[in-house]
Amino acid sequence: MYRVAVIKGDGIGPEVIDAAIEVVNAVTGRISFEYYEGGVETFKRHGVPVLEEDLEEIRKSDAVLFGATTTPFDLPGYRSLILTLRRELGLYANLRVIPDFNDGREIVIVRENSEGLYSGIGSVVEGRAVDVRLITREGAERIARFAAGEALRRGTFLTFVHKANVLIGDRFFRRVVFDVAGEYGVDVKEAIVDSFTIKLVRDPWSHGVILSENLFGDILSDLATVHTSLGVVPSGNYGEDIALFEPVHGSAPDIAGRGIANPIGAILSASMMLDYLGLDGSPVREATRRYVLRGNLTPDMGGTATTGEVTRGIISELIGAIEEELWVEEIRVGRIPTDISRVG
Ligand code: 48Y
């Protein structure tokens, strides 16, 4: 059995995570889910976004499934739950995969997840607010290795997106990326982040694996969803010994509780989790693709379906595929003579 720690969060987080768990349970019985709380309510009660003892248990899990949480702009002393988890679990690489259900193309973004302007180093002193944009050799090297590995696995190149014409940190980062890619035998193209936004919108599918620092990666990965819906985009946050999977969308409090949240981002995140655990998430992706091509979708994708309808639709595609495979297997081993094989 695999242990998966679940933090549903708030807003639409619980709805989409329940959907993802239903789908996972339809493909495997090998995962036990353990539930933890976190976010603003936990902070109000205990003064921390997640309890230290829960964090200890979460660290011992094989993976984490996370929904979404709302982070207020002005709650004194509060630090975002997801940023806390990324830091505490050492999740330095954020892989975001934007699907195109029509022809299987994907936009792949690797976002550095631990440094840059998210370093947490900064201060407000005497009328000056400072956020330190930290780039370390260790941080740059490990994310470059992750991205180069991803490019190799996909048989493609890297596009490193930066602002090295202005920022000292990106000049440093750029040298590391070229060195590491050379070591891996991966080709690197590069682009300056401001003009790259136009390329990403006009021609999103021809950049191989896109690699960027934390804040640029945050912005680019939302932008890259303009041709689809933010609601379908999954992500994996990877560390040395654990990974956390979450839809890229936020908690969307405006539609929470109405049963119309798009569960696909969470379901595809769960499929990435299955891959990470060595359980193969591709049947979930394939069932999702088949459902999207002919099923009723949630309002963010122009449909009128509920979260539950989409989830059940994907599960019946999955079950259909499993039955078909069993049928083909029965024919293959000769238990069913081919001359009576299924009609219609
Ligand atoms: O995961 C994301 O892309 C979110 O935008 C978070 C980020 O900046 O990385 C923000 C998380 C939060 O508001 O708690």
Side-chain angles (χ1 to χ4, degrees):
M1 289 296 274
Y2 297 94
R3 275 179 63 184
V4 168
V6 180
I7 303 176
K8 296 182 183 181
D10 52 66
I12 59 171
E15 302 163 51
V16 298
I17 291 303
D18 286 344
I21 290 175
E22 268 183 64
V23 172
V24 169
N25 285 335
V27 279
T28 177
R30 295 175 63 192
I31 296 181
S32 76
F33 296 98
E34 284 154 19
Y35 296 85
Y36 300 93
E37 301 208 328
V40 169
E41 286 311 312
T42 308
F43 178 77
K44 285 183 180 157
R45 267 179 281 140
H46 305 283
V48 285
V50 55
L51 291 175
E52 189 53 46
E53 62 253 40
D54 286 353
L55 211 43
E56 280 312 305
E57 290 303 311
I58 293 168
R59 278 200 189 94
K60 289 185 221 150
S61 311
D62 296 301
V64 186
L65 192 57
F66 181 87
T69 52
T70 311
T71 302
F73 299 137
D74 54 4
L75 181 60
Y78 184 68
R79 180 175 166 83
S80 149
L81 174 60
I82 186 64
L83 297 188
T84 301
L85 291 169
R86 287 175 187 159
R87 162 149 322 171
E88 292 292 329
L89 302 176
L91 308 174
Y92 66 88
N94 193 327
L95 176 65
R96 297 179 158 185
V97 181
I98 294 107
D100 176 339
F101 298 105
N102 291 310
D103 57 11
R105 293 180 294 190
E106 293 175 334
I107 308 171
V108 182
I109 299 182
V110 172
R111 163 186 178 188
E112 202 291 320
N113 217 21
S114 63
E115 303 191 333
L117 280 167
Y118 288 68
S119 69
I121 306 168
S123 59
V124 184
V125 181
E126 289 173 11
R128 273 161 59 110
V130 177
D131 289 280
V132 173
R133 188 175 185 274
L134 178 72
I135 313 272
T136 67
R137 183 181 305 284
E138 189 204 353
E141 262 178 22
R142 66 184 180 182
I143 196 67
R145 287 183 197 288
F146 182 93
E150 194 61 27
L152 273 185
R153 211 168 60 73
R154 292 170 177 269
T156 188
F157 58 94
L158 277 183
T159 297
F160 179 53
V161 182
H162 59 68
K163 190 84 190 180
N165 50 332
V166 175
L167 299 173
I168 301 164
D170 273 3
R171 241 169 268 166
F172 178 81
F173 197 165
R174 178 179 178 276
R175 277 210 310 277
V176 173
V177 170
F178 275 88
D179 286 350
V180 168
E183 202 183 293
Y184 278 66
V186 168
D187 286 338
V188 189
K189 295 187 181 171
E190 61 184 318
I192 297 177
V193 64
D194 43 352
S195 61
F196 185 71
T197 56
I198 301 170
K199 292 187 196 155
L200 187 58
V201 170
R202 292 215 175 122
D203 178 21
W205 292 282
S206 52
H207 308 291
V209 170
I210 298 164
L211 167 62
S212 203
E213 65 85 54
N214 210 335
L215 184 61
F216 292 168
D218 178 38
I219 297 168
L220 292 174
S221 57
D222 273 28
L223 181 64
T225 69
V226 290
H227 298 291
T228 171
S229 163
L230 184 56
V232 302
V233 184
S235 75
N237 297 258
Y238 300 85
E240 297 298 344
D241 342 283
I242 193 164
L244 176 152
F245 299 86
E246 51 158 342
V248 171
H249 66 70
S251 60
D254 52 325
I255 60 160
R258 291 172 49 198
I260 55 165
N262 193 336
I264 293 177
I267 289 169
L268 293 179
S269 301
S271 86
M272 293 172 78
M273 181 182 82
L274 292 173
D275 288 340
Y276 174 76
L277 295 173
L279 294 174
D280 188 11
S282 59
V284 172
R285 287 187 287 279
E286 185 47 31
T288 303
R289 195 180 72 84
R290 279 206 308 271
Y291 181 77
V292 169
L293 294 182
R294 59 171 191 239
N296 188 9
L297 302 169
T298 44
D300 56 303
M301 298 181 85
T304 55
T306 63
T307 311
E309 280 161 7
V310 173
T311 307
R312 284 190 295 277
I314 291 172
I315 290 173
S316 48
E317 290 288 349
L318 258 174
I319 291 170
I322 292 167
E323 278 172 358
E324 200 154 304
E325 207 166 284
L326 291 177
W327 178 268
V328 169
E329 179 65 11
E330 299 270 285
I331 292 172
R332 199 183 62 75
V333 300
R335 268 190 231 122
I336 298 173
T338 46
D339 54 351
I340 60 149
S341 61
R342 189 156 48 176
V343 189

